Amino acid sequence: GEFVLGTDRGRVVFIDWSRGTETRAADVRRRESDGGATSVDWCASTSTCVVRFDSGAVCAAEIDGDGSVRAVNWIDAFPCPSTCAAFHRRTRALALGTADGEIRMYDDAMTAEASKPRRVLSLRAFGFGVEDTGAVAHMKWSNDGVALAAGWRRRGVGVWSNSGCLFMCSLHHGAAGDGHGDTRRRVTFAGDLKGDAGDDDEADPRV
């Protein structure tokens, strides 16, 4: 088995899990100004890798067994730079968190158009703007891909359905602008902590 690392030079490096040695690598950075790879998500069954860079740009790439890049799709969150990305490995659904506190959902990372998200999720309708929550800090899909958990940098955790319904939020109506509330940022689902047989790729190690 392999696990995948992103480097500060924008490379995706595959490491043999048992020997700890590099097996292949791919340079997916578009230009030097994109910076280093801040997060990498790899789906072995579809050979798809989603990488977010320091610049906020996100790249979805199909990488062959020899490290050659077969196809690349670049998504620059529009009109605000992305702060994090969540990739569902089985469905290839992509979610981008942005600096303005919004979440942009795309059906397929390899065909996504940055300016045409399937839907845009925001807490503004519930009375919370970016001045309350800050940028999106972290996101995680549920194993079955029907829900997305998100944490914001300043405060707040929420769970959305993939159809755009807000299941829960740790912020409360009337608390906007008071500077208090839940300050947790990293999010996950309980099934991800113990593994879930429903996700075909969950046994694949990744970083």
Side-chain angles (χ1 to χ4, degrees):
E2 295 175 310
F3 64 93
V4 186
L5 299 173
T7 74
D8 59 0
R9 295 185 178 181
R11 297 173 72 236
V12 176
V13 180
F14 294 81
I15 306 294
D16 183 273
W17 189 259
S18 58
R19 293 180 296 170
T21 56
E22 179 180 321
T23 58
R24 53 191 165 127
D27 188 354
V28 295
R29 188 166 58 178
R30 181 177 43 182
R31 50 182 176 262
E32 189 173 346
S33 60
D34 284 327
T38 61
S39 66
V40 179
D41 216 332
W42 166 248
C43 175
S45 61
T46 62
S47 300
T48 306
C49 186
V50 171
V51 186
R52 182 193 171 274
F53 295 88
D54 287 322
S55 65
V58 174
C59 168
E62 293 179 353
I63 301 176
D64 287 336
D66 60 358
S68 59
V69 179
R70 184 166 64 242
V72 177
N73 186 36
W74 282 92
I75 309 108
D76 290 293
F78 179 86
C80 198
S82 71
T83 52
C84 58
F87 175 57
H88 190 259
R89 291 174 288 165
R90 187 165 49 198
T91 63
R92 300 208 305 188
L94 176 68
L96 299 184
T98 67
D100 58 6
E102 294 183 340
I103 298 169
R104 298 174 179 273
M105 283 187 173
Y106 302 87
D107 285 322
D108 189 322
M110 288 305 301
T111 61
E113 293 184 52
S115 62
K116 297 180 180 179
R118 173 164 51 94
R119 58 181 42 88
V120 178
L121 310 177
S122 173
L123 292 178
R124 289 191 181 278
F126 302 93
F128 298 97
V130 65
E131 63 277 5
D132 301 302
T133 63
V136 183
H138 185 71
M139 296 183 299
K140 176 72 175 180
W141 286 102
S142 61
N143 284 338
D144 57 9
V146 302
L148 179 75
W152 285 265
R153 281 185 178 165
R154 186 176 181 194
R155 60 180 179 139
V157 172
V159 179
W160 303 81
S161 73
N162 61 0
S163 61
C165 295
L166 182 62
F167 285 149
M168 66 78 62
C169 183
S170 65
L171 302 178
H172 303 288
H173 289 291
D178 65 5
H180 301 289
D182 195 325
T183 57
R184 288 171 291 180
R185 298 177 180 87
R186 292 191 64 82
V187 291
T188 192
F189 288 88
D192 296 323
L193 300 177
K194 62 184 179 181
D196 190 328
D199 189 331
D200 298 335
D201 296 307
E202 194 63 30
D204 295 339
R206 59 173 177 159
V207 173

